Amino acid sequence: MLRKIAEIIVVYRHALAVIAMFLLVLSGYGLTQLRFESDLSKQLPEDLEAVKDYFALQNEFNAGSSALIYVKIESTKSVVDVRDPRVIEAIYNLEQRLKEREYVTSTFSIADLCVQILGRLPRSIEEVNFVLNFLPPEAKNGLISGDYSSTLVIVEINRERNQETLIRVYNEITSDIEKSNFPDGVKVILTGDLGITYRILQMLQSDMNKTMAVAGAIVVFLLLYFYKSPVRMLIPLIPLIFGVVMTLGFMGLLGIPLDMATSTVGAMIIGMGIDYGVHITNRYYEERSRGRPPEEAAEEAITETGKALLGAALTTIAGFLALSISILPSLKRLSITLTMGLGLAAINAVIITPALAILEEEIRSLLFKKETRISISGSESKLAGLFRRWGWRIKKFPIGALILALIISIISLYGLSQVTTEVRLEKMIPRGIPEIEALTDIRSEFGGQDEIYILVRADDVRDPEIVRAILRFERAVEADSYYNNVFESESIADEVIEKYGFIPNSKDLIKEALKDSSLVSPDYSMTIIKFKGNFMGVTQEDFDRIMRYFEEEIEMSYFPAGTKVSLAGEAYLNYVLNNLVNSELSRISTIGTVIVVLVVFILFRKPSVSIAMIMPMFLGALWTIGYMGLTGIPFTQTLAGVVSMIVGLGVDYGMHITHRFMEEFREGNKTPIITTMESVGPSILVGALTTAGGFLALLSADLTAIHDFGKVLAVGIFASMFSAYLVTPAILQLEFGKKIGGGESEKD
């Protein structure tokens, strides 16, 4: 059947090329519809309680989205410190501009305090000191640094969380900062939720373009090196370009956004997709070197190599499809895009590559009036000679190869025990970025401005018993500040006590105290307890400990019957995501591996042959995770599906070796393992180098998560390739060696 399809492809290659061009034009329109997504809440399922609470927090209290404007003295030539009246005036001017923005709900700064206490802006540093002396020590430390070199403007924002609005809000606030006339020597940085999210979005856009360009350059260089011809290099490259453009275009048409995971898809498809074209091209030229005419060589390449490519594509796609079972939207989107991209790359390789190879020979014959051939894997190739000797070594010492694989696996098992997770968005940005450096300074100088919210629901939260329960909870948390990093809290209990000095039993009196409160919902069915501190700047282990502390405090707290209390906010979303990544990692990896194994056994049936194929994927995944543990690379939401991906990719190499070995074995070759390594080994190396090259292109990304993603996948490719060279031929030799009998020597 595959041969019949090959004949159709060769005969109707021109018509199929026209169809491909039409799809390419359609994809060009889709490219204009692509959008980027950097909202953390969109990385979690909408029906999750933590996500529902997060949106309730935003909708009812305009909470969970803020901007921190960090004002720091860089030079004391013109300004001594932030108490300088000119700095206070600039901050006041900035706030007035911000308050005119429809999305700014409130602002707070030292300028507000001066106006409240003095009735005007201060005229001297002494007047500023007078104002600061009214503040309790903890309030003063949360607003201005101990050496008076920096201060904060806290801006609460209520906006639509989409790409266009984010960019507009960031640019408008940045413009307001520039127009506020801060004195020379004063540096003002927009950071916090808004600044970090904008920076991530900006990096996503630049990283996608940069990594695709680098991946393309790496692939072009490798193809030029192996094919020695810029024209013949285009034969596997053009179908790949078609596949990448179609993938990104269809993403735009289907409304699939580019996020932390899917923004890598361009470089990944370049790296993985070139493998298909290389194998088809190499087999075509191998058949041409044997004297077959172009059409027959193309049919043979599609038929024989197509069998292995079909199996490799199916198993790789099976591994990627396992990501679709995840409850994390980002992994589902990655599954769809990679499956679509690989499918398009494989189809384009099978349909377009032979047509280009034949066309190139026809044009060359017309121009140069002679026939020339190319081969990178024939017997005359130095690379093929190296693999021929490697095949001889495996034939003589298969047990030694297995022992070497075992030693590497034992080391990797230790690394496996050291693996951690990290999902906080700010940790995805490298050090040295102004927004991150400002956050670090804020945490060290002001105790941190991260927020954790406790959402309290009841029929009427103004019930005196509920208010007392809120006060007890708040005081208990404050008492453990040394443990939970809380430095400030705010609740309706504080507002009631501020008015009366105590919590009255009268509901009417509480209603009077809370009539202008921003901490209760309009229908009084919800209220929040807000805690500020350094929660996100700590290690992942400490972050998890702090979040567990709040969960345990909620469980142990006493609230009246019918009251529902839950954690909410962006910090808590990060914690929930971290737990989901841990659970999804094992589930997706297990299911992905099972699916790939089943596909292999269904396609090839024979257990010993199937085991030879699938061992590289197991070892490749194990060695890669061991590498992550030994080098301290944590699992992120992007890397949660990496095991399933490596499993899907790693089986390809064992499949190509096994398929060629069985072909040679059936034809009566007395040294099938030597012939196999000589012919397929170079192709696997080229494919692995180009695939890893595409992944290594992600190292050029600025975002740490994408950088690590590329590094881990490249290691996975090399680990899978090396294990395929070691284990697959050793297993095949042990299984079929006695049936074959003797063979040629190394010299032969």
Side-chain angles (χ1 to χ4, degrees):
M1 180 181 177
L2 197 56
R3 186 167 294 277
K4 184 65 177 175
I5 294 174
E7 292 175 3
I8 293 172
I9 291 173
V10 172
V11 172
Y12 296 101
R13 59 184 182 273
H14 299 102
L16 293 171
V18 171
I19 294 173
M21 290 300 298
F22 169 75
L23 293 175
L24 192 67
V25 173
L26 182 63
S27 301
Y29 169 74
L31 288 174
T32 65
Q33 307 301 306
L34 276 174
R35 61 185 179 86
F36 290 83
E37 180 60 73
S38 58
D39 186 359
L40 174 64
S41 63
K42 299 297 176 59
Q43 298 182 37
L44 291 163
E46 293 182 0
D47 58 350
L48 207 64
E49 282 301 318
V51 175
K52 292 179 182 178
D53 290 342
Y54 175 76
F55 285 122
L57 198 65
Q58 284 190 316
N59 296 334
E60 298 292 341
F61 304 99
N62 296 327
S65 182
S66 63
L68 296 175
I69 299 175
Y70 182 56
V71 181
K72 185 176 179 65
I73 306 299
E74 281 202 321
S75 173
T76 57
K77 290 182 180 179
S78 59
V79 179
V80 176
D81 59 45
V82 294
R83 294 173 297 177
D84 188 301
R86 291 173 295 167
V87 177
I88 304 293
E89 183 180 4
I91 291 174
Y92 180 79
N93 292 337
L94 172 60
E95 287 188 274
Q96 298 313 301
R97 291 179 180 275
L98 292 175
K99 287 174 181 177
E100 294 177 3
R101 303 293 183 186
E102 74 280 3
Y103 44 78
V104 174
T105 57
S106 67
T107 65
F108 182 71
S109 73
I110 187 174
D112 294 321
L113 290 174
C114 290
V115 171
Q116 289 173 16
I117 295 174
L118 300 174
R120 55 174 171 78
L121 290 173
R123 299 190 180 99
S124 66
I125 290 180
E126 287 72 25
E127 287 188 343
V128 178
N129 286 333
F130 174 79
V131 171
L132 293 175
N133 288 335
F134 274 91
L135 298 178
E138 63 274 10
K140 179 180 176 182
N141 294 336
L143 185 62
I144 193 166
S145 62
D147 61 357
Y148 303 108
S149 65
S150 60
T151 187
L152 288 176
V153 180
I154 301 168
V155 186
E156 295 294 334
I157 297 173
N158 178 28
R159 64 174 176 84
E160 292 293 327
R161 298 179 71 87
N162 56 54
Q163 176 185 340
E164 293 77 14
T165 305
L166 171 68
I167 294 172
R168 178 175 65 86
V169 169
Y170 182 91
N171 289 336
E172 287 179 353
I173 293 180
T174 302
S175 174
D176 288 340
I177 291 172
E178 293 173 353
K179 294 176 182 177
S180 297
N181 299 320
F182 279 91
D184 293 338
V186 179
K187 184 176 183 180
V188 185
I189 301 172
L190 176 56
T191 184
D193 173 57
L194 177 65
I196 295 297
T197 307
Y198 175 83
R199 183 62 65 182
I200 287 175
L201 179 62
Q202 189 181 55
M203 287 183 173
L204 280 175
Q205 294 173 313
S206 65
D207 282 354
M208 187 188 75
N209 296 329
K210 190 192 305 180
T211 55
M212 284 181 60
V214 173
I218 291 173
V219 167
V220 167
F221 173 78
L222 289 170
L223 291 177
L224 275 173
Y225 175 79
F226 284 106
Y227 286 104
K228 312 297 183 186
S229 167
V231 175
R232 280 177 167 153
M233 170 203 72
L234 296 175
I235 293 171
L237 187 62
I238 289 176
L240 173 66
I241 294 172
F242 279 30
V244 172
V245 173
M246 288 179 185
T247 301
L248 295 175
F250 289 164
M251 285 177 66
L253 293 172
L254 297 173
I256 300 173
L258 289 161
D259 56 24
M260 197 79 73
T262 55
S263 63
T264 65
V265 74
M268 290 178 66
I269 296 301
I270 289 174
M272 292 183 291
I274 192 64
D275 196 28
Y276 301 132
V278 165
H279 283 292
I280 292 285
T281 304
N282 290 354
R283 187 59 185 260
Y284 172 83
Y285 284 121
E286 184 181 336
E287 297 302 324
R288 288 289 287 129
S289 68
R290 294 175 178 175
R292 290 196 175 192
E295 286 77 9
E296 288 185 18
E299 290 179 16
E300 188 68 17
I302 296 171
T303 303
E304 293 303 325
T305 306
K307 291 177 184 177
L309 282 182
L310 176 63
L314 286 175
T315 51
T316 302
I317 289 172
F320 291 161
L321 280 175
L323 302 178
S324 65
I325 66 169
S326 173
I327 64 174
L328 296 175
S330 59
L331 289 186
K332 287 184 177 180
R333 292 192 289 262
L334 183 61
S335 173
I336 294 171
T337 54
L338 286 177
T339 300
M340 178 171 60
L342 278 182
L344 289 168
I347 292 171
N348 282 325
V350 172
I351 293 176
I352 299 175
T353 304
L356 288 173
I358 295 173
L359 179 64
E360 186 270 340
E361 287 207 53
E362 291 174 347
I363 294 175
R364 187 179 289 270
S365 296
L366 287 173
L367 293 176
F368 301 102
K369 306 300 182 182
K370 64 178 182 178
E371 197 175 272
T372 58
R373 300 190 181 97
I374 185 172
S375 174
I376 69 165
S377 58
S379 59
E380 74 279 9
S381 169
K382 291 182 180 179
L383 191 58
L386 291 174
F387 278 99
R388 179 184 180 85
R389 288 191 288 275
W390 178 253
W392 185 90
R393 297 287 182 186
I394 294 291
K395 180 178 181 296
K396 291 295 184 182
F397 308 108
I399 298 297
L402 295 178
I403 291 173
L404 178 57
L406 178 62
I407 293 171
I408 299 174
S409 299
I410 292 172
I411 297 172
S412 298
L413 284 172
Y414 170 73
L416 181 65
S417 66
Q418 307 299 307
V419 173
T420 59
T421 58
E422 177 59 82
V423 301
R424 290 168 291 178
L425 287 182
E426 68 178 70
K427 302 297 182 181
M428 309 301 175
I429 301 180
R431 306 294 298 181
I433 301 298
E435 290 82 358
I436 292 296
E437 293 301 307
L439 268 186
T440 302
D441 291 344
I442 288 169
R443 285 177 178 132
S444 63
E445 295 173 4
F446 305 101
Q449 290 290 323
D450 305 320
E451 295 175 341
I452 289 178
Y453 296 88
I454 307 298
L455 194 59
V456 181
R457 291 183 174 93
D459 290 336
D460 190 338
V461 295
R462 296 170 297 180
D463 186 307
E465 291 302 315
I466 293 177
V467 178
R468 289 192 182 94
I470 289 172
L471 181 64
R472 286 193 300 269
F473 184 89
E474 189 179 2
R475 296 280 169 82
V477 171
E478 288 176 338
D480 293 333
S481 60
Y482 68 94
Y483 184 79
N484 56 35
N485 285 11
V486 169
F487 80 85
E488 182 183 314
S489 66
E490 185 181 359
S491 73
I492 59 172
D494 299 324
E495 295 179 334
V496 173
I497 290 176
E498 183 180 354
K499 183 172 181 65
Y500 301 115
F502 64 96
I503 297 176
N505 289 323
S506 169
K507 196 172 184 178
D508 291 334
L509 289 176
I510 293 177
K511 287 180 181 178
E512 178 66 22
L514 301 180
K515 64 181 181 181
D516 297 321
S517 175
S518 61
L519 299 178
V520 289
S521 60
D523 62 357
Y524 301 103
S525 65
M526 282 187 281
T527 185
I528 54 174
I529 311 172
K530 183 192 298 186
F531 295 100
K532 281 189 177 182
N534 179 12
F535 312 127
M536 302 289 282
V538 298
T539 65
Q540 182 71 45
E541 183 180 356
D542 286 338
F543 176 72
D544 292 342
R545 174 182 55 77
I546 292 171
M547 291 299 110
R548 285 195 298 270
Y549 165 85
F550 278 100
E551 287 182 333
E552 291 166 1
E553 283 296 309
I554 289 174
E555 289 178 7
M556 293 187 298
S557 64
Y558 172 75
F559 280 83
T563 307
K564 182 182 177 183
V565 184
S566 57
L567 269 169
E570 187 153 334
Y572 186 59
L573 278 189
N574 279 274
Y575 174 68
V576 172
L577 181 58
N578 183 64
N579 290 338
L580 283 178
V581 166
N582 281 318
S583 62
E584 291 292 276
L585 175 63
S586 56
R587 190 168 73 98
I588 294 171
S589 301
T590 301
I591 294 175
T593 301
V594 170
I595 292 173
V596 171
V597 170
L598 286 175
V599 170
V600 171
F601 273 87
I602 290 171
L603 288 175
F604 299 95
R605 296 184 177 88
K606 192 175 178 63
S608 58
V609 173
S610 298
I611 290 172
M613 288 184 187
I614 63 178
M615 281 306 295
M617 77 178 191
F618 284 115
L619 295 179
L622 173 62
W623 297 355
T624 303
I625 299 174
Y627 165 80
M628 290 177 65
L630 292 172
T631 57
I633 298 175
F635 274 107
T636 63
Q637 56 267 48
T638 304
L639 283 169
V642 75
V643 174
S644 180
M645 295 170 67
I646 291 172
V647 163
L649 291 166
V651 73
D652 292 4
Y653 303 125
M655 187 171 291
H656 284 297
I657 291 174
T658 305
H659 180 269
R660 187 57 182 263
F661 178 91
M662 296 307 297
E663 182 183 341
E664 298 295 332
F665 177 74
R666 286 191 298 268
E667 292 176 359
N669 189 334
K670 292 296 183 181
T671 56
I673 199 65
I674 296 175
T675 305
T676 296
M677 297 308 296
E678 178 185 15
S679 58
V680 177
S683 297
I684 290 176
L685 178 61
V686 175
L689 286 173
T690 51
T691 301
F695 295 153
L696 286 173
L698 299 178
L699 294 179
S700 63
D702 293 320
L703 286 167
T704 305
I706 296 177
H707 186 278
D708 288 345
F709 191 46
K711 189 189 303 181
V712 169
L713 283 174
V715 169
I717 289 298
F718 287 128
S720 299
M721 179 192 71
F722 186 58
S723 63
Y725 287 152
L726 273 178
V727 177
T728 300
I731 293 175
L732 292 172
Q733 183 63 32
L734 290 172
E735 173 68 17
F736 296 96
K738 292 182 180 178
K739 300 176 184 178
I740 299 169
E744 61 185 34
S745 65
E746 182 181 12
K747 188 176 181 179
D748 296 333

